Amino acid sequence: MNRRRVLQLLAATVGTTGLTAACGTGADDDTAAAGSPIKIGLIAPRTGGYKPIGDELLNGFQLFLDLNDQHLGNRPVTLLTADEGENATTGKAAVDNLLQQGALALTGVVNSSVMVGIRDAVEQARVPLVGSDASPATLQSVVYIWRTSYVLDEPGRALGRYLKQQMPARSRVVIVAPENVGSLDVVKGFTQEFGASDPRLVGEPIWTRFSTDPDGGFFAADIGTALARDPDAIFCFYAGSAAVQFIRQLRGAGYRGPVYAPGFLTEGSVLSEIKPAEAANIMTSLNYSADLNNAANRRFAAAYRKKHNASPTTYAMASYDAAQVLDKAIRLAGPDANSQQVNLALGKVGQIDSPRGPWQFNQPRTPQQRWYLRRVQLDGQVLANMLVTELATLG
C-alpha cells in the first residue's frame, strides 16, 4: 500500500470532533473570556493563472477555522475575501475593500509586486497583515506586515548551498526565470550561495517574459537559448500555470537533465497536469513537504486530505499557520482588542507548532525555519513531492 493511500485511510478514520480537539487551542478555550465577533480579510487571486494558489490560501485558513468552531482567539470570525488581481492597483483596491468592511486583520497575498504595492496602505491603516505567501526581500522596516511563509531569497539560498557541494567540477548550470520582483530575489539568493563567479554557472541568467497563464509556445525562444549552452542542470523559478508550461516546453525541446527550483515549481495542481516523463529529474527546495513526519503535520495533512481529497501544499500550510498565529495573538490581546493591540501581540506569540516543524518570527517578522529538499516521483499511481533531506535552517 503506498504512502498516499495510508494517509487517506488515516484521514477517513479521524472524525471532525477529534481533529478539533487535536488541532484547536484546547483547554484555553474554556478559560479565556469570550470576545466580540471579528472580521478577518483574506487577499488572494480569485481569477487568472494564480487562482489555484489563491484557492490554497483560502483552503488553509478556512481549515483552521473549521477545526476551531469558526473562532480565533475565542472570538467568532467572519472571513471576508477580496481578489488581489495581478498588480499593485488591484491589490490596493482589495485592501481598501476589506478595511472598509471593518477587518480587524488581513492575511493572504500571492504576488510579490502586489505585496510591495500595498505596503504603504497597510502601514498607514495600522491594521496587521499576516502574509501567507508573497514575501519579497525588499520588504523591510515594516511594523504591521508579518509573513508566515518565507523570504523569497531563501529557497534559492537553500538550493544554492546544496548544489555548490553536489555539482561536479566541470558541470554547466543555466538559470532561467521570469523577469519580476520575486525572481530577482530567488536568483540573487541562489547565486550568492552557489557563487556568482563560480565557472559552473554558464552565462548570465536568462530572463523570460512574465505571465501567469502563458500559452504553448511562450518559452520556446528562451528555452532554445538555454539549451544552446549545453547545460548539465537548469535552475528555474516558476509557479502555477507558468510552471506547467515551462516544464512541458522544456521537455518538449528535448532536455532530459535535472531541473532544480524552489518548490513552487511543483506545488498544487502542477503535478496533476504534467506527465511522469516530464516530471523526471525535478528536485525542489521548500519549507514544507506533505509527507513530513511530525504530529502537527499528521493532523493537518489528514484533515486537509479528508476535506479536499488532495495533499496540502506549502500555500495551504502557511495560510493555516497565519490563522494559528492570529488565533494566538488575538487571545493574547484580549476579548475586545483592536487592530493595534493585535499587532503588538503578534510579537509575543513565540514558537509555532507548525506542520512544517517548529518555527518562530525573527526580528524582520518572517519565520526562522527549516528548508527541505524534495524529489518529484510516483507515489503509487500519482506524482508527488517526496522528502529527501533537510537542507538548512534560515531566517
Side-chain angles (χ1 to χ4, degrees):
M1 185 177 295
N2 64 61
R3 184 183 318 198
R4 181 179 298 274
R5 181 61 180 152
V6 170
L7 290 170
Q8 288 173 339
L9 290 174
L10 173 63
T13 61
V14 181
T16 302
T17 302
L19 278 169
T20 302
C23 294
T25 49
D28 290 343
D29 289 334
D30 300 325
T31 57
S36 55
I38 57 174
K39 298 175 181 178
I40 302 294
L42 189 146
I43 304 164
R46 309 308 301 145
T47 56
Y50 281 166
K51 182 182 182 298
I53 300 176
D55 292 343
E56 288 288 296
L57 297 191
L58 180 59
N59 291 348
F61 201 95
Q62 185 60 59
L63 182 62
F64 188 91
L65 293 179
D66 292 346
L67 298 175
N68 289 276
D69 195 29
Q70 308 303 314
H71 281 61
L72 292 178
N74 211 38
R75 297 175 68 172
V77 172
T78 297
L79 183 62
L80 311 171
T81 62
D83 186 358
E84 76 173 68
E86 295 189 352
N87 55 57
T89 301
T90 55
K92 172 67 162 50
V95 170
D96 291 343
N97 181 335
L98 295 171
L99 293 179
Q100 288 168 7
Q101 294 184 67
L104 178 73
L106 305 173
T107 187
V109 187
V110 168
N111 192 321
S112 291
S113 296
V114 171
M115 179 64 87
V116 172
I118 66 176
R119 169 195 171 141
D120 290 346
V122 172
E123 294 286 296
Q124 290 167 11
R126 301 175 67 203
V127 171
L129 165 61
V130 183
S132 50
D133 189 29
S135 188
T138 53
L139 192 69
Q140 299 177 357
S141 302
V142 289
V143 176
Y144 285 87
I145 299 178
W146 308 72
R147 288 156 281 175
T148 60
S149 49
Y150 45 77
V151 177
L152 259 174
D153 64 346
E154 291 175 351
R157 288 173 56 199
L159 206 45
R161 186 178 302 180
Y162 171 78
L163 289 180
K164 181 178 182 178
Q165 302 299 322
Q166 296 296 317
M167 295 300 295
R170 295 185 180 180
S171 298
R172 299 172 64 84
V173 180
V174 174
I175 299 172
V176 186
E179 193 167 11
N180 61 17
V181 173
S183 292
L184 294 173
D185 286 341
V186 168
V187 171
K188 181 179 180 180
F190 179 80
T191 55
Q192 283 181 338
E193 292 291 340
F194 191 89
S197 60
D198 193 305
R200 292 174 294 180
L201 287 182
V202 182
E204 293 295 316
I206 297 169
W207 300 107
T208 69
R209 293 171 294 156
F210 174 72
S211 172
T212 60
D213 195 17
D215 61 31
F218 189 85
F219 297 109
D222 294 309
I223 287 174
T225 301
L227 297 188
R229 298 181 185 179
D230 191 25
D232 296 300
I234 287 178
F235 175 84
C236 64
F237 173 61
Y238 296 96
S241 297
V244 173
Q245 285 298 333
F246 181 79
I247 294 169
R248 185 173 293 159
Q249 292 174 42
L250 181 66
R251 297 311 192 194
Y255 179 75
R256 297 290 181 266
V259 176
Y260 297 94
F264 323 115
L265 184 75
T266 56
E267 281 292 277
S269 61
V270 173
L271 292 183
S272 67
E273 297 182 46
I274 61 175
K275 300 175 182 178
E278 294 171 330
N281 289 326
I282 295 180
M283 299 186 74
T284 63
S285 61
L286 204 59
N287 60 347
Y288 176 68
S289 183
D291 60 345
L292 281 171
N293 186 20
N294 62 63
N297 190 48
R298 289 193 294 272
R299 293 191 294 266
F300 166 69
Y304 192 93
R305 288 187 175 100
K306 182 177 182 181
K307 183 174 182 181
H308 298 288
N309 195 32
S311 292
T313 63
T314 190
Y315 311 120
M317 177 278 298
S319 193
Y320 177 91
D321 273 3
Q324 185 175 188
V325 163
L326 283 168
D327 177 68
K328 295 184 73 171
I330 292 167
R331 187 175 304 278
L332 286 169
D336 296 300
N338 60 27
S339 296
Q340 293 77 44
Q341 292 166 326
V342 171
N343 193 68
L344 287 172
L346 283 166
K348 304 174 184 178
V349 297
Q351 184 168 281
I352 304 300
D353 184 19
S354 168
R356 77 189 83 176
W359 66 270
Q360 61 188 20
F361 283 121
N362 56 21
Q363 188 173 3
R365 291 165 160 72
T366 62
Q368 183 180 42
Q369 62 187 328
R370 297 169 184 165
W371 285 84
Y372 305 96
L373 182 68
R374 313 178 311 170
R375 177 185 291 110
V376 178
Q377 62 188 62
L378 283 171
D379 184 13
Q381 299 298 312
V382 298
L383 290 170
N385 295 296
M386 308 297 284
L387 181 67
V388 177
T389 189
E390 184 177 328
L391 288 173
T393 296
L394 300 173

PDB file of all heavy atoms in Angstrom, residues 211-245:
ATOM      1  N   SER A 211       4.294  35.959 -17.237  1.00  0.00           N
ATOM      2  CA  SER A 211       2.874  35.725 -17.465  1.00  0.00           C
ATOM      3  C   SER A 211       2.388  34.693 -16.455  1.00  0.00           C
ATOM      4  O   SER A 211       3.092  33.710 -16.188  1.00  0.00           O
ATOM      5  CB  SER A 211       2.623  35.219 -18.888  1.00  0.00           C
ATOM      6  OG  SER A 211       1.264  34.830 -19.042  1.00  0.00           O
ATOM      7  N   THR A 212       1.206  34.917 -15.906  1.00  0.00           N
ATOM      8  CA  THR A 212       0.628  33.919 -15.000  1.00  0.00           C
ATOM      9  C   THR A 212      -0.095  32.817 -15.761  1.00  0.00           C
ATOM     10  O   THR A 212      -0.454  31.801 -15.169  1.00  0.00           O
ATOM     11  CB  THR A 212      -0.355  34.575 -14.018  1.00  0.00           C
ATOM     12  OG1 THR A 212      -1.421  35.201 -14.762  1.00  0.00           O
ATOM     13  CG2 THR A 212       0.349  35.624 -13.166  1.00  0.00           C
ATOM     14  N   ASP A 213      -0.292  32.990 -17.059  1.00  0.00           N
ATOM     15  CA  ASP A 213      -1.027  31.997 -17.852  1.00  0.00           C
ATOM     16  C   ASP A 213      -0.492  31.964 -19.278  1.00  0.00           C
ATOM     17  O   ASP A 213      -1.191  32.318 -20.228  1.00  0.00           O
ATOM     18  CB  ASP A 213      -2.524  32.328 -17.839  1.00  0.00           C
ATOM     19  CG  ASP A 213      -3.379  31.172 -18.327  1.00  0.00           C
ATOM     20  OD1 ASP A 213      -2.864  30.042 -18.372  1.00  0.00           O
ATOM     21  OD2 ASP A 213      -4.551  31.406 -18.666  1.00  0.00           O
ATOM     22  N   PRO A 214       0.757  31.512 -19.473  1.00  0.00           N
ATOM     23  CA  PRO A 214       1.374  31.543 -20.807  1.00  0.00           C
ATOM     24  C   PRO A 214       0.806  30.458 -21.725  1.00  0.00           C
ATOM     25  O   PRO A 214       0.270  29.457 -21.271  1.00  0.00           O
ATOM     26  CB  PRO A 214       2.846  31.273 -20.505  1.00  0.00           C
ATOM     27  CG  PRO A 214       2.819  30.464 -19.247  1.00  0.00           C
ATOM     28  CD  PRO A 214       1.664  30.991 -18.446  1.00  0.00           C
ATOM     29  N   ASP A 215       0.988  30.668 -23.032  1.00  0.00           N
ATOM     30  CA  ASP A 215       0.487  29.691 -23.999  1.00  0.00           C
ATOM     31  C   ASP A 215       1.573  28.665 -24.322  1.00  0.00           C
ATOM     32  O   ASP A 215       2.672  28.680 -23.771  1.00  0.00           O
ATOM     33  CB  ASP A 215      -0.008  30.386 -25.263  1.00  0.00           C
ATOM     34  CG  ASP A 215       1.084  31.174 -25.984  1.00  0.00           C
ATOM     35  OD1 ASP A 215       2.266  30.770 -25.912  1.00  0.00           O
ATOM     36  OD2 ASP A 215       0.758  32.186 -26.629  1.00  0.00           O
ATOM     37  N   GLY A 216       1.246  27.782 -25.269  1.00  0.00           N
ATOM     38  CA  GLY A 216       2.103  26.643 -25.552  1.00  0.00           C
ATOM     39  C   GLY A 216       3.446  26.951 -26.179  1.00  0.00           C
ATOM     40  O   GLY A 216       4.321  26.086 -26.183  1.00  0.00           O
ATOM     41  N   GLY A 217       3.652  28.134 -26.719  1.00  0.00           N
ATOM     42  CA  GLY A 217       4.944  28.469 -27.303  1.00  0.00           C
ATOM     43  C   GLY A 217       5.660  29.590 -26.590  1.00  0.00           C
ATOM     44  O   GLY A 217       6.671  30.115 -27.083  1.00  0.00           O
ATOM     45  N   PHE A 218       5.162  29.950 -25.425  1.00  0.00           N
ATOM     46  CA  PHE A 218       5.611  31.154 -24.729  1.00  0.00           C
ATOM     47  C   PHE A 218       7.113  31.133 -24.422  1.00  0.00           C
ATOM     48  O   PHE A 218       7.797  32.145 -24.547  1.00  0.00           O
ATOM     49  CB  PHE A 218       4.808  31.294 -23.426  1.00  0.00           C
ATOM     50  CG  PHE A 218       5.014  32.594 -22.702  1.00  0.00           C
ATOM     51  CD1 PHE A 218       4.274  33.727 -23.035  1.00  0.00           C
ATOM     52  CD2 PHE A 218       5.937  32.694 -21.676  1.00  0.00           C
ATOM     53  CE1 PHE A 218       4.450  34.924 -22.362  1.00  0.00           C
ATOM     54  CE2 PHE A 218       6.125  33.889 -20.993  1.00  0.00           C
ATOM     55  CZ  PHE A 218       5.374  35.003 -21.338  1.00  0.00           C
ATOM     56  N   PHE A 219       7.640  29.969 -24.011  1.00  0.00           N
ATOM     57  CA  PHE A 219       9.037  29.899 -23.554  1.00  0.00           C
ATOM     58  C   PHE A 219       9.999  29.373 -24.623  1.00  0.00           C
ATOM     59  O   PHE A 219      11.184  29.189 -24.337  1.00  0.00           O
ATOM     60  CB  PHE A 219       9.135  28.995 -22.318  1.00  0.00           C
ATOM     61  CG  PHE A 219       8.377  29.501 -21.127  1.00  0.00           C
ATOM     62  CD1 PHE A 219       7.220  28.853 -20.702  1.00  0.00           C
ATOM     63  CD2 PHE A 219       8.806  30.610 -20.422  1.00  0.00           C
ATOM     64  CE1 PHE A 219       6.515  29.308 -19.584  1.00  0.00           C
ATOM     65  CE2 PHE A 219       8.108  31.080 -19.319  1.00  0.00           C
ATOM     66  CZ  PHE A 219       6.956  30.425 -18.898  1.00  0.00           C
ATOM     67  N   ALA A 220       9.504  29.114 -25.820  1.00  0.00           N
ATOM     68  CA  ALA A 220      10.303  28.401 -26.820  1.00  0.00           C
ATOM     69  C   ALA A 220      11.649  29.060 -27.090  1.00  0.00           C
ATOM     70  O   ALA A 220      12.696  28.398 -27.080  1.00  0.00           O
ATOM     71  CB  ALA A 220       9.504  28.262 -28.117  1.00  0.00           C
ATOM     72  N   ALA A 221      11.651  30.354 -27.342  1.00  0.00           N
ATOM     73  CA  ALA A 221      12.907  31.034 -27.699  1.00  0.00           C
ATOM     74  C   ALA A 221      13.899  31.013 -26.543  1.00  0.00           C
ATOM     75  O   ALA A 221      15.101  30.758 -26.740  1.00  0.00           O
ATOM     76  CB  ALA A 221      12.615  32.466 -28.131  1.00  0.00           C
ATOM     77  N   ASP A 222      13.418  31.265 -25.342  1.00  0.00           N
ATOM     78  CA  ASP A 222      14.321  31.301 -24.182  1.00  0.00           C
ATOM     79  C   ASP A 222      14.839  29.910 -23.831  1.00  0.00           C
ATOM     80  O   ASP A 222      16.002  29.754 -23.430  1.00  0.00           O
ATOM     81  CB  ASP A 222      13.588  31.900 -22.977  1.00  0.00           C
ATOM     82  CG  ASP A 222      13.228  33.362 -23.195  1.00  0.00           C
ATOM     83  OD1 ASP A 222      14.127  34.140 -23.568  1.00  0.00           O
ATOM     84  OD2 ASP A 222      12.054  33.722 -23.013  1.00  0.00           O
ATOM     85  N   ILE A 223      14.001  28.891 -23.990  1.00  0.00           N
ATOM     86  CA  ILE A 223      14.480  27.527 -23.772  1.00  0.00           C
ATOM     87  C   ILE A 223      15.537  27.170 -24.806  1.00  0.00           C
ATOM     88  O   ILE A 223      16.553  26.533 -24.492  1.00  0.00           O
ATOM     89  CB  ILE A 223      13.294  26.536 -23.811  1.00  0.00           C
ATOM     90  CG1 ILE A 223      12.461  26.681 -22.536  1.00  0.00           C
ATOM     91  CG2 ILE A 223      13.784  25.098 -23.974  1.00  0.00           C
ATOM     92  CD1 ILE A 223      11.188  25.872 -22.528  1.00  0.00           C
ATOM     93  N   GLY A 224      15.335  27.609 -26.031  1.00  0.00           N
ATOM     94  CA  GLY A 224      16.353  27.390 -27.058  1.00  0.00           C
ATOM     95  C   GLY A 224      17.690  28.017 -26.689  1.00  0.00           C
ATOM     96  O   GLY A 224      18.753  27.410 -26.871  1.00  0.00           O
ATOM     97  N   THR A 225      17.636  29.234 -26.149  1.00  0.00           N
ATOM     98  CA  THR A 225      18.860  29.905 -25.701  1.00  0.00           C
ATOM     99  C   THR A 225      19.539  29.123 -24.584  1.00  0.00           C
ATOM    100  O   THR A 225      20.772  28.966 -24.559  1.00  0.00           O
ATOM    101  CB  THR A 225      18.538  31.329 -25.216  1.00  0.00           C
ATOM    102  OG1 THR A 225      17.939  32.072 -26.291  1.00  0.00           O
ATOM    103  CG2 THR A 225      19.786  32.046 -24.741  1.00  0.00           C
ATOM    104  N   ALA A 226      18.729  28.628 -23.638  1.00  0.00           N
ATOM    105  CA  ALA A 226      19.276  27.866 -22.512  1.00  0.00           C
ATOM    106  C   ALA A 226      19.935  26.574 -22.991  1.00  0.00           C
ATOM    107  O   ALA A 226      21.058  26.237 -22.576  1.00  0.00           O
ATOM    108  CB  ALA A 226      18.169  27.554 -21.509  1.00  0.00           C
ATOM    109  N   LEU A 227      19.268  25.846 -23.876  1.00  0.00           N
ATOM    110  CA  LEU A 227      19.805  24.563 -24.322  1.00  0.00           C
ATOM    111  C   LEU A 227      21.030  24.735 -25.210  1.00  0.00           C
ATOM    112  O   LEU A 227      21.878  23.833 -25.289  1.00  0.00           O
ATOM    113  CB  LEU A 227      18.722  23.772 -25.049  1.00  0.00           C
ATOM    114  CG  LEU A 227      17.497  23.392 -24.203  1.00  0.00           C
ATOM    115  CD1 LEU A 227      16.591  22.438 -24.971  1.00  0.00           C
ATOM    116  CD2 LEU A 227      17.912  22.786 -22.872  1.00  0.00           C
ATOM    117  N   ALA A 228      21.153  25.891 -25.865  1.00  0.00           N
ATOM    118  CA  ALA A 228      22.345  26.160 -26.675  1.00  0.00           C
ATOM    119  C   ALA A 228      23.605  26.244 -25.814  1.00  0.00           C
ATOM    120  O   ALA A 228      24.720  26.100 -26.325  1.00  0.00           O
ATOM    121  CB  ALA A 228      22.159  27.451 -27.466  1.00  0.00           C
ATOM    122  N   ARG A 229      23.426  26.443 -24.515  1.00  0.00           N
ATOM    123  CA  ARG A 229      24.579  26.495 -23.594  1.00  0.00           C
ATOM    124  C   ARG A 229      24.978  25.104 -23.091  1.00  0.00           C
ATOM    125  O   ARG A 229      25.862  24.982 -22.244  1.00  0.00           O
ATOM    126  CB  ARG A 229      24.250  27.407 -22.401  1.00  0.00           C
ATOM    127  CG  ARG A 229      23.983  28.853 -22.790  1.00  0.00           C
ATOM    128  CD  ARG A 229      23.691  29.701 -21.561  1.00  0.00           C
ATOM    129  NE  ARG A 229      23.310  31.072 -21.926  1.00  0.00           N
ATOM    130  CZ  ARG A 229      22.986  32.016 -21.041  1.00  0.00           C
ATOM    131  NH1 ARG A 229      22.983  31.740 -19.736  1.00  0.00           N
ATOM    132  NH2 ARG A 229      22.652  33.232 -21.453  1.00  0.00           N
ATOM    133  N   ASP A 230      24.310  24.065 -23.574  1.00  0.00           N
ATOM    134  CA  ASP A 230      24.632  22.677 -23.249  1.00  0.00           C
ATOM    135  C   ASP A 230      24.658  22.441 -21.723  1.00  0.00           C
ATOM    136  O   ASP A 230      25.665  21.999 -21.165  1.00  0.00           O
ATOM    137  CB  ASP A 230      25.990  22.304 -23.857  1.00  0.00           C
ATOM    138  CG  ASP A 230      26.258  20.803 -23.795  1.00  0.00           C
ATOM    139  OD1 ASP A 230      25.285  20.024 -23.733  1.00  0.00           O
ATOM    140  OD2 ASP A 230      27.447  20.424 -23.774  1.00  0.00           O
ATOM    141  N   PRO A 231      23.541  22.706 -21.041  1.00  0.00           N
ATOM    142  CA  PRO A 231      23.540  22.600 -19.578  1.00  0.00           C
ATOM    143  C   PRO A 231      23.513  21.154 -19.073  1.00  0.00           C
ATOM    144  O   PRO A 231      22.913  20.272 -19.688  1.00  0.00           O
ATOM    145  CB  PRO A 231      22.234  23.311 -19.195  1.00  0.00           C
ATOM    146  CG  PRO A 231      21.337  23.082 -20.362  1.00  0.00           C
ATOM    147  CD  PRO A 231      22.243  23.135 -21.580  1.00  0.00           C
ATOM    148  N   ASP A 232      24.177  20.937 -17.943  1.00  0.00           N
ATOM    149  CA  ASP A 232      24.038  19.676 -17.198  1.00  0.00           C
ATOM    150  C   ASP A 232      22.904  19.767 -16.192  1.00  0.00           C
ATOM    151  O   ASP A 232      22.409  18.742 -15.715  1.00  0.00           O
ATOM    152  CB  ASP A 232      25.341  19.369 -16.453  1.00  0.00           C
ATOM    153  CG  ASP A 232      26.499  19.141 -17.416  1.00  0.00           C
ATOM    154  OD1 ASP A 232      26.405  18.208 -18.232  1.00  0.00           O
ATOM    155  OD2 ASP A 232      27.477  19.911 -17.356  1.00  0.00           O
ATOM    156  N   ALA A 233      22.512  20.992 -15.841  1.00  0.00           N
ATOM    157  CA  ALA A 233      21.395  21.213 -14.916  1.00  0.00           C
ATOM    158  C   ALA A 233      20.802  22.585 -15.196  1.00  0.00           C
ATOM    159  O   ALA A 233      21.512  23.501 -15.629  1.00  0.00           O
ATOM    160  CB  ALA A 233      21.860  21.115 -13.468  1.00  0.00           C
ATOM    161  N   ILE A 234      19.501  22.724 -14.934  1.00  0.00           N
ATOM    162  CA  ILE A 234      18.816  24.004 -15.079  1.00  0.00           C
ATOM    163  C   ILE A 234      18.203  24.379 -13.744  1.00  0.00           C
ATOM    164  O   ILE A 234      17.546  23.558 -13.093  1.00  0.00           O
ATOM    165  CB  ILE A 234      17.729  23.930 -16.173  1.00  0.00           C
ATOM    166  CG1 ILE A 234      18.398  23.897 -17.551  1.00  0.00           C
ATOM    167  CG2 ILE A 234      16.771  25.117 -16.085  1.00  0.00           C
ATOM    168  CD1 ILE A 234      17.440  23.777 -18.708  1.00  0.00           C
ATOM    169  N   PHE A 235      18.444  25.614 -13.333  1.00  0.00           N
ATOM    170  CA  PHE A 235      17.793  26.181 -12.164  1.00  0.00           C
ATOM    171  C   PHE A 235      16.760  27.179 -12.664  1.00  0.00           C
ATOM    172  O   PHE A 235      17.070  28.049 -13.476  1.00  0.00           O
ATOM    173  CB  PHE A 235      18.799  26.887 -11.258  1.00  0.00           C
ATOM    174  CG  PHE A 235      18.162  27.601 -10.082  1.00  0.00           C
ATOM    175  CD1 PHE A 235      17.846  26.915  -8.928  1.00  0.00           C
ATOM    176  CD2 PHE A 235      17.865  28.957 -10.158  1.00  0.00           C
ATOM    177  CE1 PHE A 235      17.250  27.556  -7.854  1.00  0.00           C
ATOM    178  CE2 PHE A 235      17.263  29.617  -9.091  1.00  0.00           C
ATOM    179  CZ  PHE A 235      16.958  28.915  -7.935  1.00  0.00           C
ATOM    180  N   CYS A 236      15.512  27.058 -12.172  1.00  0.00           N
ATOM    181  CA  CYS A 236      14.456  27.935 -12.663  1.00  0.00           C
ATOM    182  C   CYS A 236      13.516  28.341 -11.532  1.00  0.00           C
ATOM    183  O   CYS A 236      13.620  27.834 -10.410  1.00  0.00           O
ATOM    184  CB  CYS A 236      13.678  27.269 -13.789  1.00  0.00           C
ATOM    185  SG  CYS A 236      12.777  25.784 -13.281  1.00  0.00           S
ATOM    186  N   PHE A 237      12.592  29.243 -11.845  1.00  0.00           N
ATOM    187  CA  PHE A 237      11.641  29.720 -10.839  1.00  0.00           C
ATOM    188  C   PHE A 237      10.311  30.051 -11.515  1.00  0.00           C
ATOM    189  O   PHE A 237      10.170  31.100 -12.145  1.00  0.00           O
ATOM    190  CB  PHE A 237      12.195  30.963 -10.129  1.00  0.00           C
ATOM    191  CG  PHE A 237      11.211  31.613  -9.192  1.00  0.00           C
ATOM    192  CD1 PHE A 237      10.697  30.918  -8.109  1.00  0.00           C
ATOM    193  CD2 PHE A 237      10.799  32.923  -9.386  1.00  0.00           C
ATOM    194  CE1 PHE A 237       9.783  31.516  -7.244  1.00  0.00           C
ATOM    195  CE2 PHE A 237       9.888  33.532  -8.522  1.00  0.00           C
ATOM    196  CZ  PHE A 237       9.385  32.821  -7.447  1.00  0.00           C
ATOM    197  N   TYR A 238       9.355  29.139 -11.405  1.00  0.00           N
ATOM    198  CA  TYR A 238       8.009  29.348 -11.945  1.00  0.00           C
ATOM    199  C   TYR A 238       7.001  28.721 -10.988  1.00  0.00           C
ATOM    200  O   TYR A 238       7.354  27.894 -10.148  1.00  0.00           O
ATOM    201  CB  TYR A 238       7.870  28.737 -13.348  1.00  0.00           C
ATOM    202  CG  TYR A 238       8.768  29.384 -14.371  1.00  0.00           C
ATOM    203  CD1 TYR A 238      10.002  28.823 -14.691  1.00  0.00           C
ATOM    204  CD2 TYR A 238       8.389  30.568 -14.993  1.00  0.00           C
ATOM    205  CE1 TYR A 238      10.845  29.434 -15.610  1.00  0.00           C
ATOM    206  CE2 TYR A 238       9.228  31.182 -15.912  1.00  0.00           C
ATOM    207  CZ  TYR A 238      10.450  30.617 -16.211  1.00  0.00           C
ATOM    208  OH  TYR A 238      11.286  31.229 -17.115  1.00  0.00           O
ATOM    209  N   ALA A 239       5.739  29.113 -11.153  1.00  0.00           N
ATOM    210  CA  ALA A 239       4.675  28.566 -10.316  1.00  0.00           C
ATOM    211  C   ALA A 239       3.391  28.497 -11.126  1.00  0.00           C
ATOM    212  O   ALA A 239       3.230  29.203 -12.126  1.00  0.00           O
ATOM    213  CB  ALA A 239       4.466  29.431  -9.072  1.00  0.00           C
ATOM    214  N   GLY A 240       2.460  27.654 -10.671  1.00  0.00           N
ATOM    215  CA  GLY A 240       1.138  27.597 -11.274  1.00  0.00           C
ATOM    216  C   GLY A 240       1.170  27.213 -12.745  1.00  0.00           C
ATOM    217  O   GLY A 240       1.930  26.339 -13.183  1.00  0.00           O
ATOM    218  N   SER A 241       0.338  27.872 -13.561  1.00  0.00           N
ATOM    219  CA  SER A 241       0.239  27.567 -14.990  1.00  0.00           C
ATOM    220  C   SER A 241       1.558  27.803 -15.712  1.00  0.00           C
ATOM    221  O   SER A 241       1.897  27.069 -16.660  1.00  0.00           O
ATOM    222  CB  SER A 241      -0.857  28.427 -15.628  1.00  0.00           C
ATOM    223  OG  SER A 241      -2.123  28.135 -15.079  1.00  0.00           O
ATOM    224  N   ALA A 242       2.320  28.811 -15.285  1.00  0.00           N
ATOM    225  CA  ALA A 242       3.623  29.069 -15.903  1.00  0.00           C
ATOM    226  C   ALA A 242       4.573  27.902 -15.665  1.00  0.00           C
ATOM    227  O   ALA A 242       5.370  27.542 -16.542  1.00  0.00           O
ATOM    228  CB  ALA A 242       4.217  30.370 -15.362  1.00  0.00           C
ATOM    229  N   ALA A 243       4.504  27.284 -14.490  1.00  0.00           N
ATOM    230  CA  ALA A 243       5.352  26.126 -14.192  1.00  0.00           C
ATOM    231  C   ALA A 243       4.996  24.952 -15.092  1.00  0.00           C
ATOM    232  O   ALA A 243       5.882  24.265 -15.622  1.00  0.00           O
ATOM    233  CB  ALA A 243       5.202  25.735 -12.734  1.00  0.00           C
ATOM    234  N   VAL A 244       3.706  24.699 -15.281  1.00  0.00           N
ATOM    235  CA  VAL A 244       3.266  23.611 -16.156  1.00  0.00           C
ATOM    236  C   VAL A 244       3.813  23.810 -17.563  1.00  0.00           C
ATOM    237  O   VAL A 244       4.393  22.892 -18.159  1.00  0.00           O
ATOM    238  CB  VAL A 244       1.724  23.524 -16.190  1.00  0.00           C
ATOM    239  CG1 VAL A 244       1.268  22.513 -17.241  1.00  0.00           C
ATOM    240  CG2 VAL A 244       1.173  23.158 -14.818  1.00  0.00           C
ATOM    241  N   GLN A 245       3.652  25.018 -18.097  1.00  0.00           N
ATOM    242  CA  GLN A 245       4.101  25.284 -19.464  1.00  0.00           C
ATOM    243  C   GLN A 245       5.616  25.236 -19.589  1.00  0.00           C
ATOM    244  O   GLN A 245       6.148  24.736 -20.593  1.00  0.00           O
ATOM    245  CB  GLN A 245       3.557  26.632 -19.945  1.00  0.00           C
ATOM    246  CG  GLN A 245       2.091  26.621 -20.296  1.00  0.00           C
ATOM    247  CD  GLN A 245       1.772  25.674 -21.444  1.00  0.00           C
ATOM    248  OE1 GLN A 245       2.613  25.389 -22.300  1.00  0.00           O
ATOM    249  NE2 GLN A 245       0.553  25.156 -21.454  1.00  0.00           N
TER     250      GLN A 245
END
